[in-house]
Amino acid sequence: MTDAPTTPADDARNESVETALAKLDLDAKTRLLAGQDQWSLPEMPEIELPSLVMSDGPVGVRGVRWTPEDPSVALPSPTALAASWDPELARRAGRLLAQEARRKGVHVLLAPTVNLHRSPLGGRHFESYSEDPYLTGEIGTGYVRGVQDGGVGTTVKHFVANDAETDRFTVNNVVAPRTLRELYLAPFEAIVKNARPWGVMAAYNTVNGSSMTEHRYLQQTVLRGEWGFDGFIVSDWLAARSTVGDILGGLDVAMPGPRTVYGEQLAAAVRAGEVAESAVDGAVRNVLRLAARVGILPGAPAVVTEPPAPVDGEALTREIARRSFVLVRNEARDGHPALPIGTARTPRIALIGASARDARILGGGSATVFPAAVVTPLDGLTAALPEGSLTYTIGADPNTELALAAEGFDLRATARSADGRVLATVELPNGRVQWVGSDLPDGVSYDDLDSVEITGTFTARDTGDHAFGTRGLGGFTLAVDGEVLFDGYQDRGESSDPFEAFFGAQTERGRVRLAAGQSVDISLRDTVYKITDAPMKAIGFSLLHLGPQHDPDELIAEAALAAAAADTVVVVVGTTERVESEGFDRKDLRLPGRQDDLVRAVAAANPYTVVVVNSGSPVEMPWREDVAAVLLSWFPGQQGGAALAEVLLGAEEPGGRLPTTWPVALADAPVTDTTPTDGELHYEEGVFIGYRAWEKAGSVPAYPFGHGLGYTEWGYETLDATPTEVRVRLRNAGARPGREVVQLYAVPGTGQDPAAPERPARWLAGFASVEAAPGETVEVSVPLRRRAFEIWDEGTDSWSLIEGRYEIQAAHSLTDVRLSAPLTVER
Ligand code: BGC
């Protein structure tokens, strides 16, 4: 067991916790362990404790409402943050998020997500960091420290093995102990020990037969017992399913409310003798300690009394974006680098791609926030280039299905009672009305609410037939420009899913021909369907739209013409919300629509074609060797387009290195199936995921782990390795200042116990970044942890040092090793 050192402030907090606990009776205590609504715990007047508020996470702080009226700073996707390979940058991101949380009255941020990239199909791949547990743990540690520096709690999630989305509520992930310890638990362990998070979120899934919220061994023995975790454990939303099993398994708080398995049901279980009251007290202590830490338990000192200096959110999101962009290829057919674009030499630039104009700045699902403003690649390049030098063509439209009304819409929702009284009017960021639990507009109650009407205007961007549709349940009346397109009822049909209203099928209701620039009034009235069989009350329906569908061949031909007329072409390709989002896994890694054809046609028309890939996780790039440069921009956050202009035009260097291997094709990836069989998903590959698996199989990916080019060159000069520290000296051998991520890999050598279980050929043992001016030499010292040379011994259920000779490699990437040195590890 790890005993974290206690400070006088810890003692004072613990004392206040005991005093408060003694004042609560059983009913109050069990109420405190259950959400009162979607995002908060009930206040406890008897101890003057206000309601504790939680919010997603991880790229921004949404606050308790899904509305644009209180916008949130939107950071680049977690994959992007990890691509910076910079825990200090993650810490600064965390501080910004704490500032946002404080502004929005949020005490606990539901982040970071530290599950691993087991398969590129994982729907929330974009929302987690890496395929490597050490890199994940380091970035997560920085992030948690940063958020908590600002006095705001975190919940490291989703504990554990929630690495895919298919059947996530029910899947039993079967994972061997060594695999769990060395891979999936490792980031949680590192973060718990190094950053002391105030919370952990228990995952939906089951691990080795026990649901995670009930998993006594992992939650109590490992997390609390072995690692010394002293924060609170909250269920993922709706994950808690057993009153007795959950409390005995170590789950402290069941979210969301008001209907949970805790509260009255927990009090009844204590009264029936099924649960000892001391178990409830233990959970309440954990919640009260959290309240004390965030500064809302009267009499207890908050951990942070002076929040850190204010952070400029816009500047930091831009900095993280450019530090995350990974330049994976930079070689035109003439052998010269295509980037940065020399505008003096190549003044005419053609920008192509739907994602250049409608940038995808973040992934879908609970991680969604609404920023005040977004800089798209088109905005960013237009602002940075002299007037008249940039042309734009769409090239290919990946949106071929109805989607949430957004671009060109200006909408609000009016809630009315049955007698037509207006209860409230609120602005909408898009065509979705989603009011869950107590997250209703001020003045609206479920009992009074009868209908919601979305009204506003739509300004067409393109000439042609615009399709409009609905998603959700109830009586709909849809009118565009005064004409009623649909008036009818949508019922639930055969579906038993209480969330059908949110996630149900989208239905086209009619088409209207509009000219580019034409503005029309639009309204969609829904006599709401009140979901009664869900754990909380909810209203949800959407207005959908699909723009005119142009002949894809014509769009590509038009783009090829624009490309031929330019000196340099920038094509932005990307995924859509229907590809990368929470709630489902990907089916393939292809770019949606005709985007691959587009890139091929453009590259054939212009040898200086730079492709920017706007996706949160790997996509297949069959054309990658035929273009001059490929820059991965991830989901780059609200300032993505500005950062992109800085990097493409050379004001800044792309700083990212791959946190995950990019396969040539899905079939080459180590794990290509995330669908459980008979409810079970077996992690059969054991410790071999990511680059560990690629090296074992001897196969070659499109771009290896750690890969990423900058705008300067680095000469690695010396390497000195001891079992506890590695020193590397390197020189910026190029013509401009730069930053290098020095990666250290450990290679097991001869003389080691031949009976030891199979280990990967190499693994990441440490890393650090350096900055240097042209010609400057810098030295970096990287500590080595004993854990880098240990394996989990399933026989003794403990870590075991594998003694003997190793080689330490100092590398620019997994496949670009610059220096190596021997090392002998002894007990
Ligand atoms: C997600 C969590 C999230 C929670 C609250 C769940 O569906 O898995 O990551 O924090 O919802 O929005």
Side-chain angles (χ1 to χ4, degrees):
M1 146 133 197
T2 308
D3 273 325
T6 53
T7 63
D10 285 328
D11 293 340
R13 275 189 290 276
N14 286 338
E15 223 179 284
S16 305
V17 165
E18 293 307 323
T19 311
L21 177 66
K23 290 187 190 151
L24 298 175
D25 63 17
L26 178 64
D27 294 311
K29 286 188 286 196
T30 53
R31 254 190 331 116
L32 183 61
L33 303 181
Q36 64 174 352
D37 56 23
Q38 182 73 355
W39 304 117
S40 66
L41 299 183
E43 58 176 357
M44 292 281 123
E46 47 277 68
I47 53 171
E48 292 170 54
L49 177 70
S51 166
L52 186 131
V53 179
M54 305 171 228
S55 173
D56 288 304
V59 297
V61 184
R62 193 175 52 237
V64 296
R65 290 203 174 143
W66 292 72
T67 121
E69 280 168 344
D70 181 16
S72 314
V73 173
L75 287 163
S77 58
T79 36
L81 191 61
S84 75
W85 288 58
D86 187 348
E88 217 24 63
L89 192 64
R91 185 169 193 160
R92 288 170 58 208
R95 288 184 171 189
L96 168 63
L97 294 169
Q99 174 179 308
E100 287 281 281
R102 283 179 173 266
R103 180 171 72 74
K104 290 180 171 243
V106 167
H107 306 112
V108 177
L109 187 64
L110 303 173
T113 303
V114 301
N115 300 115
L116 294 186
H117 293 166
R118 176 172 177 260
S119 166
L121 294 176
R124 293 177 91 170
H125 196 283
F126 71 88
E127 202 191 307
S128 41
Y129 294 128
S130 168
E131 66 189 18
D132 183 80
Y134 177 62
L135 178 59
T136 299
E138 290 296 291
I139 299 293
T141 296
Y143 182 102
V144 167
R145 282 188 179 146
V147 176
Q148 295 186 177
D149 284 345
V152 172
T154 52
T155 64
V156 188
K157 69 189 189 182
H158 309 84
F159 189 66
V160 60
N162 182 182
D163 310 294
E165 293 294 280
T166 308
D167 299 342
R168 63 178 173 158
F169 282 87
T170 54
V171 61
N172 176 23
N173 290 324
V174 182
V175 196
R178 178 179 166 217
T179 306
L180 255 187
R181 292 285 185 160
E182 293 185 18
L183 295 186
Y184 301 97
L185 287 171
F188 288 95
E189 179 182 4
I191 296 167
V192 165
K193 290 183 174 169
N194 299 330
R196 298 195 62 194
W198 303 345
V200 160
M201 184 187 287
Y204 289 126
N205 51 275
T206 291
V207 171
N208 298 334
S210 169
S211 87
M212 275 312 303
T213 58
E214 296 177 83
H215 215 302
R216 198 173 164 77
Y217 172 69
L218 289 176
Q219 296 188 130
Q220 300 277 44
T221 308
V222 175
L223 176 62
R224 289 198 188 279
E226 288 180 26
W227 302 345
F229 173 68
D230 69 354
F232 87 127
I233 304 179
V234 62
S235 71
D236 198 346
W237 266 227
L238 305 178
R241 284 155 285 190
S242 157
T243 303
V244 175
D246 286 338
I247 193 79
L248 298 182
L251 180 79
D252 298 317
V253 170
M255 286 300 289
R259 266 182 271 167
T260 74
V261 294
Y262 281 2
E264 283 170 15
Q265 293 193 50
L266 183 54
V270 172
R271 291 195 173 104
E274 291 165 343
V275 172
E277 190 163 348
S278 58
V280 172
D281 288 349
V284 172
R285 271 192 193 98
N286 294 332
V287 175
L288 292 175
R289 189 177 310 113
L290 170 69
R293 284 173 160 161
V294 301
I296 59 170
L297 183 66
V303 173
V304 174
T305 42
E306 284 286 318
V311 182
D312 177 342
E314 261 188 19
L316 184 58
T317 51
R318 189 162 67 242
E319 180 182 342
I320 295 173
R322 64 183 182 241
R323 293 274 306 277
S324 78
F325 293 164
V326 183
L327 181 57
V328 291
R329 174 182 170 83
N330 192 14
E331 189 180 349
R333 264 172 246 163
D334 60 10
H336 288 106
L339 291 180
I341 299 169
T343 42
R345 199 168 33 87
T346 67
R348 294 168 306 162
I349 297 177
L351 180 63
I352 296 170
S355 308
R357 187 178 64 176
D358 304 323
R360 259 206 102 204
I361 63 149
L362 41 74
S366 59
T368 305
V369 297
F370 302 106
V374 167
V375 182
T376 66
L378 179 56
D379 298 335
L381 282 170
T382 305
L385 287 168
E387 222 179 304
S389 54
L390 185 74
T391 61
Y392 173 73
T393 18
I394 180 166
D397 189 354
N399 297 303
T400 51
E401 295 174 65
L402 284 169
L404 207 53
E407 169 59 43
F409 288 85
D410 180 12
L411 303 171
R412 61 210 52 85
T414 303
R416 292 195 180 83
S417 59
D419 57 10
R421 202 159 36 90
V422 171
L423 303 173
T425 299
V426 291
E427 297 296 315
L428 292 179
N430 51 39
R432 180 185 284 144
V433 169
Q434 179 168 284
W435 299 335
V436 183
S438 61
D439 176 14
L440 281 169
D442 291 340
V444 180
S445 72
Y446 281 98
D447 291 343
D448 290 343
L449 183 64
D450 178 66
S451 72
V452 180
E453 187 177 14
I454 299 177
T455 54
T457 56
F458 170 59
T459 307
R461 193 161 58 179
D462 300 313
T463 299
D465 286 341
H466 289 256
F468 297 88
T470 61
R471 183 182 211 182
L473 308 177
F476 285 116
T477 310
L478 171 66
V480 177
D481 203 15
E483 182 196 342
V484 175
L485 295 187
F486 177 75
D487 189 14
Y489 197 82
Q490 177 70 50
D491 66 19
R492 201 158 135 178
E494 300 289 284
S495 169
S496 61
D497 182 344
F499 289 110
E500 173 71 21
F502 292 156
F503 305 119
Q506 19 203 43
T507 313
E508 185 179 321
R509 305 296 189 183
R511 292 182 178 215
V512 177
R513 192 165 179 80
L514 298 172
Q518 186 181 349
S519 268
V520 286
D521 288 336
I522 187 152
S523 75
L524 173 64
R525 181 168 178 277
D526 182 29
T527 309
V528 297
Y529 182 98
K530 294 182 186 169
I531 304 170
T532 51
D533 54 349
M536 78 289 267
K537 291 180 174 169
I539 303 289
F541 70 98
S542 304
L543 169 68
L544 309 174
H545 170 253
L546 176 66
Q549 294 295 289
H550 300 288
D551 177 347
D553 292 323
E554 270 175 30
L555 289 182
I556 290 175
E558 197 185 321
L561 277 180
D567 300 308
T568 300
V569 189
V570 177
V571 192
V572 187
V573 292
T575 58
T576 67
E577 180 150 7
R578 295 182 66 79
V579 176
E580 286 183 84
S581 185
E582 181 179 331
F584 53 86
D585 288 322
R586 296 164 76 189
K587 293 186 185 55
D588 57 52
L589 304 185
R590 282 196 292 275
L591 284 168
R594 296 281 302 276
Q595 297 183 94
D596 285 331
D597 293 336
L598 170 68
V599 175
R600 284 195 192 94
V602 167
N606 191 318
Y608 290 96
T609 294
V610 175
V611 183
V612 176
V613 182
N614 179 196
S615 73
S617 38
V619 296
E620 291 169 2
M621 302 183 290
W623 33 256
R624 66 191 184 286
E625 309 272 318
D626 305 325
V627 298
V630 181
L631 181 73
L632 314 180
S633 74
W634 312 105
F635 294 143
Q638 68 182 59
Q639 283 281 313
L644 185 67
E646 289 174 336
V647 165
L648 291 177
L649 303 177
E652 299 285 347
E653 178 182 55
R657 305 289 186 266
L658 284 179
T660 217
T661 310
W662 276 47
V664 171
L666 171 63
D668 305 339
V671 178
T672 56
D673 190 6
T674 55
T675 305
T677 310
D678 298 329
E680 294 193 342
L681 190 66
H682 290 256
Y683 283 33
E684 273 161 359
E685 70 289 345
V687 296
F688 295 95
I689 64 166
Y691 64 86
R692 291 164 164 82
W694 286 94
E695 292 216 310
K696 181 175 153 99
S699 39
V700 178
Y703 299 108
F705 180 77
H707 176 61
L709 308 167
Y711 289 158
T712 185
E713 293 299 323
W714 294 90
Y716 281 58
E717 294 183 339
T718 60
L719 165 65
D720 296 300
T722 73
T724 53
E725 189 199 16
V726 174
R727 301 185 78 83
V728 182
R729 201 146 53 87
L730 62 168
R731 200 169 80 88
N732 180 348
R736 53 178 286 163
R739 185 184 182 93
E740 169 75 333
V741 178
V742 177
Q743 303 168 30
L744 301 177
Y745 295 93
V747 189
T750 51
Q752 297 185 359
D753 180 0
E758 187 184 2
R759 279 190 295 170
R762 288 187 288 169
W763 54 89
L764 184 68
F767 63 91
S769 27
V770 295
E771 280 179 31
E776 194 188 344
T777 300
V778 279
E779 190 172 86
V780 62
S781 151
V782 189
L784 285 184
R785 303 145 303 129
R786 184 185 157 98
R787 179 61 59 81
F789 307 105
E790 289 179 326
I791 65 163
W792 182 258
D793 183 337
E794 294 188 347
T796 60
D797 242 4
S798 62
W799 291 102
S800 158
L801 186 75
I802 304 292
E803 296 180 273
R805 274 200 284 278
Y806 288 82
E807 182 184 304
I808 290 291
Q809 301 177 331
H812 174 77
S813 78
L814 188 78
T815 56
D816 187 357
V817 174
R818 302 292 178 86
L819 293 171
S820 63
L823 186 72
T824 301
V825 173
E826 291 162 336
R827 211 163 289 274

